[in-house]
Structures are given as C-alpha cells and as structure tokens.
Amino acid sequence: MKKIVRIARLELNILFYSPIAWFLLIVFLFQCGLAYTNALENPLTTQELGGRGLRYLVFLTQRTFAPPFGVFSTMTRNLYLYLPLLTMGLMSREISSGTIRLLYSSPIKVSQIIFGKFLAMMIYNLLLIVLLAVVAVFALVNIRSADAGLLFSGLLGIYLLLCAYSAIGLFMSCLTAYQVVAALSTLVLLAALSYIGAMWQDIDFVRDLTYFLSISGRAEHMMSGLITTKDILYFWVIIYMFLGFSIYKLQSGRESKPALVKAGRYILITVSGLAVGYVTSRPGLIGYLDVTATKSRTLTVNAQKIIKETGDEPLEVTTYMNLLDSRFWYGLPNQRNTDLTRWEPYLRFKPGIRFNYVYYYDSVPNRNLYKYNPGMSLKALAERYALTSKMDLRLFKTPAEIRKMVDLSREQGRYVMQLRYKDRTTFLRLFDDPAVFPSETETGAALKRLLQAKMPKIAFLGGELERSIDKAGDRHYKILTNEVVFRYSLVNQGFDVETISLKDQDIPKDIATLVIADPKVSFDTASLMKIQQYIAAGGNLLLAGEPGKQAVLNPILQSLGVQMMDGMLVQPNKDFSPELIQPFLTPAVAALTKGLHKDAEDSLCVTMRGAAALSYNTDGPFTVIPFLMTDGKFCWNKKVKPNEEEIESTENRSGPVMSAGQLTYSPAEGDQNAPLPAVIGLTRTINGKQQRIVVAGDADFLSNAELGRTNLRACNFDFSTALFSWFSYGEFPIDTSRPKGKDNGLSLTNAGMTSLRILLLGILPGFLLLGGTVLLIRRKRK
C-alpha cells in the first residue's frame, strides 16, 4: 500500500507541476459558477417580481441542480473533455520516455503501478468535486431549506463518473507512447460507451448487455437524488474492467505468453465484469436510497400501498401494439429498456412483474390513413408499415388472430397495456396529451381495479333526453366519463360508468351515485317514485338542470329543500356571451381536494353556459354547503329568462346595464343582484352513512364543450373530478400528490447576485490562478 501511495504522490507532483492540471481546475470552477448563477437568474427574477409567480418557486434545489437542465447536467456534459487531457500522459509518458523499463526492473508490481496512477486521478477528481461542492455550499446558503440530500447524491454520482472516465483514460494511455493519440482514443471510447446503449436494441439478449454497458445517463439517478446499487456497481464494474485491462496490458510487456492466454485474460475480465453488472441490475437485487427531502424519486405513499397489496402473487403486463397506430414506435423492440425504465419505480416494490409484448395489425379510426392510401387493403397497408419499420410482418398477428386473443374493441386500435393479476384484467392506456404515458394516478387506479371486485360506479340517467355519456357533441358528457384517450376521464381514474333508464329498470343499489343531467321532459310517476325512494334510502345524487326546465327537476328538489329559481343568471362581459357565468369556488369546496385548493388560490372560476340560481332552506334534514357562488357584482339573476336578441345585443359591458335593447337589471321585475349559489352540496347521515347530494343550476359545466374550453382560465375539470371523488368518499381518483418542498425561496437579491457572480467567476478562479502561477514559477526557479 505504501508503494501505491508513493506512486500516487509522485504522479500528483507531476500533474501540479504542469499548467494543464491548474488550467482545468480554473476552467471547471468558472463553469460551475457560471452554470449556478445562470440557473438562479429566472427564480430570482420571479421572486423579485413577486405576486402570483411566487407559488411556482418550488423545488428550487432540483430545478437548479438536477437533470435535465441543472448545474450537475451542465457539468457532466463537459467532463469527457477534461479527463483525457489528464489521463493521456499517465502511462504514455512512461512508455515514450523509457522510464517504463525502470519500473519493470524495480521491485514494484504492475498492479501497484496502475493502482498508484489511478489513486492519483481519484485524488484529482476529488479536488474537482470539492470545487463543485463549493457551489453546493453556496446553494445551501442562497436557497432557503435547500435539499442537502440531493446535492450530496449528485456530487457522489459525478465523482464516480469521473473515476470511471479516469480508468478508461488510464487504459488508453497504456496502449500507446503518444499522448495525443491516447487522448483521442479516450474520447472515441467514451463516445462509443455513450452510444452503445442505442445499438442492437432489437435483439433481446444483446439489448440488455449493450444497455448495461452504456455510460450515458448513468449518473442521472444520483444527480436527481436517488442512489441505487445498480448505478454504483456499474461504475465499479467499469473501473474494475479497465484497470484490469491496464494491468494485463503492462504485464504482457514484461512476459512472454501465447496470444490465446493473453486474449483469455481480457475475456475473463470482460465476462466477469458483465456477469456481475448484469446480475446486480436485475429487479429484486437492486437497492434504492431516496435522499431527497420529499422523497420525490419514490412512489407516493398511496401508490406504494397499492402495489404492496398485490403481495407475492404474479403481476403481468401485456402490451398490445397496433402496427397502424401512430404510437406504434413506442413499442418497437429498441424501446423495451425505455419501457422498463418507466416501470422501474414499481419494480422497486414488486420486482416480479412480468412483461409481454404482442404485435398485431388492425384497423384504426384514422381517416388520413385511408385517404392517402386509396385502394389499399388492410394487409397491404400493414406490409408497407412493417417495411418502413424494418420488421417482419410474420411477427404480427392478423386482425382475426388478435380478436380471438383479446377484446380490444373499446381501445380504438391504440397502444394499450393489459394488466393481469390472478383472474382479473384491466387496461392501462396512453393518452392524447404531452405526457402520453399514465402517471401514478392512472396506474394506481388500474392496479386497484385488480385488487377489489367492486369499483365505484356512476349511473347516468337516460330516457328523458338527458346528456349522453357516449356522444361527443358539445352538450354531452363523453369526455368526462368514458373517453379512453383522455387521462382525466372517469373510466381512467378508477370509476365505472353506465347509462340506465327508469322506464324498464330500477336504480341499482351498488352505485356510488346517480346522475340526472338536464332532463328535457318530465318524469312519469313510476320513475319519479323510484328516484324519491332512492333518495330516501340514502343514495348519493347529482342533479344538474338548466334555465327554463326548472319545472322538470323541482318536484325532486322539493324533498331536499332546494329550488331552481325562475329566470337565468347573466354576466355581461366584453369578451363572452352574457349567459356564460363564472362563479367562484367557496372555501368549503376548495377543501375537497388539493387541486381545487390550488385553483382557489389562483382565483380560477368554473364556467357555466346558461345557469339557474338556486334557493334553499336550512330547516330541513340536510346540511347545505354552497359549492359555487356568483360574485354579486357583475352577475345577477334575470327573473325573466332573456331572449336570444337580448343576449346577442348585450356586449362590451362588465356590469348591470341600462341601455335599450340590451339586458337590463330590473329589481321591479324581480331581478336579484346579490351573491347567489349556482351549485350546492347537501349532506345528512342515514343508515350509518353520510348521504351526499349535489344540485347544480347548470348541466353544461360538465359538458364536452366546457371541459374543452381553452379561451378562459377555468377549473371545470378539477371541480368535476372533485365532485366524483366526494361521492366516492375519497377512494378515487388515487391521491398521488406530493408534499411541497421547503426550498421555495432565495435568500438573495439582485445586488447579492452581482456579488455572487464576482466571487464565483472572478475572485475564486483568480485565487486558483494565482496559486498555480506561484507554484509553477517556484518550480521553474528550482
């Protein structure tokens, strides 16, 4: 060990008596400071401006340091340029000067030479990390309650990456007497290890090996705050392999062995290293440590609970990929490891998940596909697509074969995953939004479907021309209920939906709630009796009416102590029709979910096109809770429902108007200009359970048109989701929200930022430059 330390000390002397080592330290510190101060610019500007933007100053440590745009990522993108300049002379210098012969003749083992050289690089790498740690220390001061765990994890990951690069550079230096050639060879090998993970990904066994060998992104988990044994052992395997190569390369120079023996040594090191790395990267053999303050790199508590409930029983995920689907490329063989990466948080808690992939071709609801390929049969289209994907069509099941295998009729020929647990199955879908893949919420809902026999069922009443859950028209409810491509649709959040008609069936007893949405005709006596019996028995109910149809619902509402007031709520506005009102969330409804609470803080409204105000009494058996209220200033109840001419002529107004031909506020006609409820909640305890009822003076707030509105900042989706969560007593949707980070502000001002820039970009690099210059001048004088 003493010899190794002595060699390392001599190597460090050589390094620091040359300008390269000092120059790289100075440049590295300057780039660290530049990356850090640049990362703080936007948060500091937001903080200085104040106001609503302060709510988005969260997880500042992660935003400043973690991938993909943080300080750690910025620095690792440049590391491969630094190390070859240092490692190129480790052994090349000895070979070119002839001192290698002296080393061979001295009582020093080849392994001691290599370990000594590598130890010197480890110490130099540690100096680089110390410089980066200086920036991390400033972050602990500048960011309030900074996430120290994430900073430590990132420094560890970068240090291991530097050591791996050093081992590779040391081996390349053993191969040649020319330092420039060694540096270029190191760059080439590092590039090869970065890109090898994208090669031969369509071959099953080779895919795993090349993906394991890839050094690209290996430190990202640690830079994000998640330390895994897989990543740590990967770096040590790389170090072991290249130090072993270096030892055997030098050993072969001082002994005469057959070429087969020499090759066998390299093969043995390679195979043993790959075997250890491959085995230790298998699910179930990986250890995880989430060092972030909020455990943001781990599944939320509710998601963990669900996956753990599956126990030791096997869980199988079968992905069905349609060749003609535009998302087919997500399922290509070269995307398998990416797919496993998405499932890794779940594999951490249930390593035995099995994955299957089924390719098929079938028709898709894509008009352009047939428009631009006129006259082509389904098979001919599949052959063309298979050719462009460089895949054999024989690997794909035909439409007849896939339909015998599984029923995908509701999935529109899209990429879909079928989860199987015991004798139950359910689908987990991709969605038409930027995130595309399911989040913990949707995945948790799908897993919970496998664990319990009964899911909350929402029954929508039909038969009186109510809103339909199967139609895509503006007034209907398909997006809210069963649009499979929409992430927040009830069927993707853990609910079952169905339509029932009281003309030929009773109200099911096992439903979570009954929805009566805008019936156009009055209920017959039998149907009305069934509804009243359902309410009397304690069933949950959502009643949504429309102005002009008060008489249809008021017979049901009488027993609840609620009435839809005559007329219609109007809110003149220069941008929208006056029938579009924007009631605000009350504190009571904002407390239902974290999403609504945030919406209330942001002063978001719920849009309603044509709504009736509600009146109620508090003497009945129900506790009344206003959910949505008008502002009482710009919105009033027009007792006589305005005609289309009045609505169209009322524009460019933001309050009660008195102009002829336009909507007028008239107390004499019974108009009311005061805060009025547009949606209320009713509760009472019956049969040992809290009965929950919602009455809305509008049915459009749940419609496809209002849920798809983009020209107004509204929270209709959050509100509607919160209502059904309330009806299911919080069981669904799965709450996967995370606690807010405490690192939500900067103890820094613009003046302080200027001083910080001067310190990190000028004074500290200047001290390093001065120290290096003095040392080099003294060395030259000696």
Side-chain angles (χ1 to χ4, degrees):
M1 186 64 188
K2 291 182 179 179
K3 294 178 181 179
I4 293 174
V5 173
R6 185 177 181 184
I7 292 172
R9 187 174 60 192
L10 292 173
E11 190 63 38
L12 286 172
N13 285 336
I14 295 173
L15 276 177
F16 284 101
Y17 283 139
S18 70
I20 293 180
W22 289 101
F23 174 76
L24 291 181
L25 287 175
I26 294 168
V27 171
F28 186 80
L29 177 59
F30 181 85
Q31 289 188 334
C32 288
L34 184 63
Y36 175 64
T37 52
N38 286 344
L40 289 183
E41 281 289 348
N42 285 338
L44 181 58
T45 301
T46 301
Q47 180 170 289
E48 291 292 309
L49 290 174
R52 188 163 154 249
L54 294 177
R55 294 175 187 158
Y56 302 98
L57 282 181
V58 292
F59 299 108
L60 286 181
T61 313
Q62 181 177 333
R63 288 173 56 182
T64 305
F65 284 89
F69 305 114
V71 174
F72 290 151
S73 295
T74 302
M75 299 314 301
T76 53
R77 282 194 290 267
N78 300 323
L79 286 181
Y80 75 97
L81 297 174
Y82 300 142
L83 271 297
L85 297 177
L86 296 171
T87 60
M88 65 182 182
L90 288 176
M91 291 307 304
S92 298
R93 183 177 60 250
E94 309 286 359
I95 297 172
S96 62
S97 64
T99 55
I100 189 66
R101 296 187 182 91
L102 295 175
L103 290 173
Y104 284 157
S105 62
S106 63
I108 301 176
K109 297 179 181 179
V110 170
S111 59
Q112 292 174 328
I113 299 172
I114 295 300
F115 291 150
K117 300 277 188 179
F118 183 69
L119 178 59
M121 287 306 304
M122 290 181 67
I123 295 172
Y124 186 86
N125 294 339
L126 188 60
L127 290 176
L128 292 175
I129 294 301
V130 167
L131 296 180
L132 186 54
V134 169
V135 173
V137 169
F138 276 106
L140 292 173
V141 175
N142 300 145
I143 300 175
R144 298 187 197 126
S145 302
D147 193 341
L150 186 146
L151 295 174
F152 167 77
S153 176
L155 293 173
L156 175 62
I158 295 176
Y159 180 67
L160 291 175
L161 183 63
L162 283 168
C163 291
Y165 283 173
S166 299
I168 294 169
L170 176 57
F171 171 64
M172 301 311 294
S173 182
C174 292
L175 299 180
T176 177
Y178 301 99
Q179 295 188 31
V180 174
V181 174
L184 293 175
S185 300
T186 302
L187 288 172
V188 171
L189 186 54
L190 290 177
L193 286 175
S194 296
Y195 291 105
I196 195 172
M199 298 175 65
W200 305 303
Q201 291 295 292
D202 54 342
I203 305 172
D204 289 342
F205 180 70
V206 178
R207 177 194 306 123
D208 291 335
L209 288 179
T210 56
Y211 192 77
F212 167 75
L213 280 174
S214 176
I215 204 169
S216 177
R218 276 293 176 175
E220 284 193 1
H221 278 156
M222 282 185 273
M223 290 190 292
S224 299
L226 181 64
I227 301 174
T228 69
T229 55
K230 177 179 69 174
D231 292 332
I232 291 176
L233 287 173
Y234 168 81
F235 288 117
W236 283 113
V237 165
I238 292 296
I239 292 170
Y240 155 77
M241 288 174 59
F242 283 94
L243 290 185
F245 293 159
S246 301
I247 291 171
Y248 283 131
K249 176 62 180 71
L250 293 187
Q251 191 70 34
S252 64
R254 61 187 300 181
E255 63 183 10
S256 178
K257 294 286 186 180
L260 187 60
V261 174
K262 294 180 180 179
R265 290 174 172 174
Y266 290 107
I267 293 173
L268 177 62
I269 292 176
T270 302
V271 172
S272 60
L274 290 179
V276 170
Y278 181 80
V279 171
T280 55
S281 65
R282 296 301 87 192
L285 298 177
I286 304 174
Y288 296 87
L289 178 62
D290 187 346
V291 296
T292 59
T294 59
K295 305 303 177 187
S296 61
R297 301 294 297 167
T298 305
L299 291 177
T300 56
V301 174
N302 286 336
Q304 288 182 45
K305 181 180 178 182
I306 293 171
I307 193 69
K308 288 178 179 177
E309 285 178 5
T310 61
D312 296 328
E313 294 289 335
L315 174 63
E316 188 175 293
V317 179
T318 302
T319 303
Y320 295 95
M321 294 152 288
N322 187 352
L323 177 61
L324 303 182
D325 178 26
S326 61
R327 297 157 196 81
F328 173 73
W329 70 274
Y330 286 123
L332 289 172
N334 59 14
Q335 295 294 313
R336 295 280 176 86
N337 282 311
T338 304
D339 188 46
L340 291 178
T341 299
R342 284 189 288 266
W343 280 97
E344 187 174 3
Y346 300 91
L347 289 167
R348 172 179 174 181
F349 297 98
K350 189 175 180 63
I353 301 176
R354 296 199 298 263
F355 297 91
N356 305 311
Y357 299 88
V358 177
Y359 296 103
Y360 73 98
Y361 67 90
D362 204 347
S363 58
V364 293
N366 182 353
R367 296 180 180 178
N368 288 333
L369 178 65
Y370 306 101
K371 176 181 178 181
Y372 295 112
N373 297 280
M376 293 188 69
S377 66
L378 193 62
K379 185 174 182 180
L381 281 171
E383 289 174 344
R384 173 180 289 183
Y385 274 66
L387 183 63
T388 57
S389 300
K390 299 180 181 178
M391 297 185 70
D392 189 344
L393 189 60
R394 290 175 294 182
L395 298 174
F396 294 80
K397 295 188 179 298
T398 65
E401 290 173 335
I402 194 65
R403 290 168 190 170
K404 287 181 180 179
M405 184 176 179
V406 63
D407 181 12
L408 300 175
S409 56
R410 285 193 61 192
E411 304 308 316
Q412 304 176 15
R414 295 163 57 94
Y415 181 118
V416 68
M417 293 165 279
Q418 185 187 58
L419 278 56
R420 181 181 296 275
Y421 176 75
K422 295 183 178 179
D423 59 344
R424 296 176 184 165
T425 61
T426 189
F427 287 112
L428 185 59
R429 305 174 176 95
L430 270 60
F431 305 109
D432 288 345
D433 57 32
V436 180
F437 283 89
S439 68
E440 286 183 39
T441 302
E442 294 78 51
T443 305
L447 290 171
K448 202 161 186 178
R449 279 184 180 275
L450 301 176
L451 293 169
Q452 59 188 54
K454 181 182 177 182
M455 303 296 286
K457 183 182 293 184
I458 312 298
F460 288 78
L461 203 60
E464 286 76 28
L465 305 178
E466 291 92 345
R467 307 293 175 100
S468 170
I469 65 173
D470 299 312
K471 295 181 179 179
D474 284 354
R475 67 185 297 271
H476 297 293
Y477 288 178
K478 182 177 178 64
I479 291 179
L480 169 70
T481 57
N482 65 359
E483 179 59 84
V484 295
V485 303
F486 186 70
R487 181 181 303 274
Y488 304 106
S489 183
L490 291 178
V491 294
N492 291 322
Q493 296 295 316
F495 297 90
D496 290 330
V497 296
E498 66 175 358
T499 299
I500 63 172
S501 174
L502 298 185
K503 296 183 184 301
D504 52 13
Q505 65 185 114
D506 294 329
I507 300 175
K509 295 181 180 180
D510 62 342
I511 61 175
T513 191
L514 174 69
V515 178
I516 304 176
D518 188 21
K520 296 297 184 184
V521 295
S522 299
F523 294 98
D524 58 42
T525 303
S527 298
L528 190 59
M529 184 176 296
K530 290 178 181 179
I531 296 172
Q532 290 171 342
Q533 290 174 348
Y534 172 80
I535 296 174
N540 294 340
L541 178 68
L542 170 58
L543 279 167
E546 283 287 317
K549 296 294 181 182
Q550 287 92 332
V552 177
L553 286 183
N554 277 343
I556 301 175
L557 295 174
Q558 284 177 356
S559 62
L560 306 178
V562 180
Q563 290 289 292
M564 294 176 64
M565 297 171 60
D566 293 336
M568 184 175 76
L569 291 167
V570 293
Q571 185 172 343
N573 186 290
K574 65 179 181 179
D575 296 316
F576 304 102
S577 168
E579 63 181 347
L580 181 71
I581 68 165
Q582 302 168 36
F584 63 86
L585 301 168
T586 65
V589 77
L592 292 184
T593 65
K594 295 176 182 177
L596 274 188
H597 179 72
K598 183 178 179 181
D599 292 336
E601 287 183 339
D602 289 341
S603 301
L604 297 187
C605 64
V606 174
T607 58
M608 306 175 109
R609 180 172 289 279
L614 302 174
S615 64
Y616 58 87
N617 65 67
T618 57
D619 299 330
F622 291 94
T623 300
V624 182
I625 310 168
F627 279 1
L628 296 181
M629 296 288 294
T630 63
D631 61 8
K633 182 178 180 182
F634 300 115
C635 178
W636 76 92
N637 184 57
K638 187 72 177 170
K639 186 168 184 179
V640 178
K641 183 180 178 182
N643 56 44
E644 293 185 7
E645 181 180 352
E646 288 178 309
I647 291 174
E648 291 177 359
S649 63
T650 303
E651 57 184 15
N652 299 323
R653 294 290 185 271
S654 58
V657 290
M658 297 294 184
S659 302
Q662 298 179 345
L663 289 177
T664 57
Y665 171 62
S666 175
E669 295 180 0
D671 293 357
Q672 288 184 253
N673 188 20
L676 295 170
V679 178
I680 61 173
L682 306 170
T683 63
R684 68 174 175 177
T685 300
I686 184 170
N687 298 327
K689 186 189 77 170
Q690 186 184 66
Q691 182 181 21
R692 296 177 173 181
I693 296 174
V694 172
V695 180
D698 171 64
D700 289 321
F701 76 99
L702 301 173
S703 69
N704 298 331
E706 291 308 313
L707 294 180
R709 181 181 291 277
T710 58
N711 58 357
L712 190 62
R713 295 185 70 248
C715 60
N716 288 49
F717 255 117
D718 287 344
F719 180 62
S720 60
T721 302
L723 291 183
F724 289 104
S725 175
W726 191 58
F727 285 130
S728 70
Y729 303 94
E731 185 179 9
F732 292 96
I734 306 296
D735 182 9
T736 58
S737 59
R738 297 181 181 275
K740 290 183 178 180
K742 295 181 180 179
D743 50 343
N744 55 4
L746 298 173
S747 55
L748 197 65
T749 62
N750 284 325
M753 174 62 80
T754 302
S755 301
L756 185 65
R757 283 187 178 276
I758 294 172
L759 181 62
L760 290 177
L761 304 183
I763 296 176
L764 292 183
F767 276 133
L768 270 181
L769 178 62
L770 180 62
T773 302
V774 170
L775 185 66
L776 291 174
I777 291 174
R778 291 182 61 186
R779 170 70 173 176
K780 186 175 181 181
R781 287 177 177 176
K782 290 182 180 180

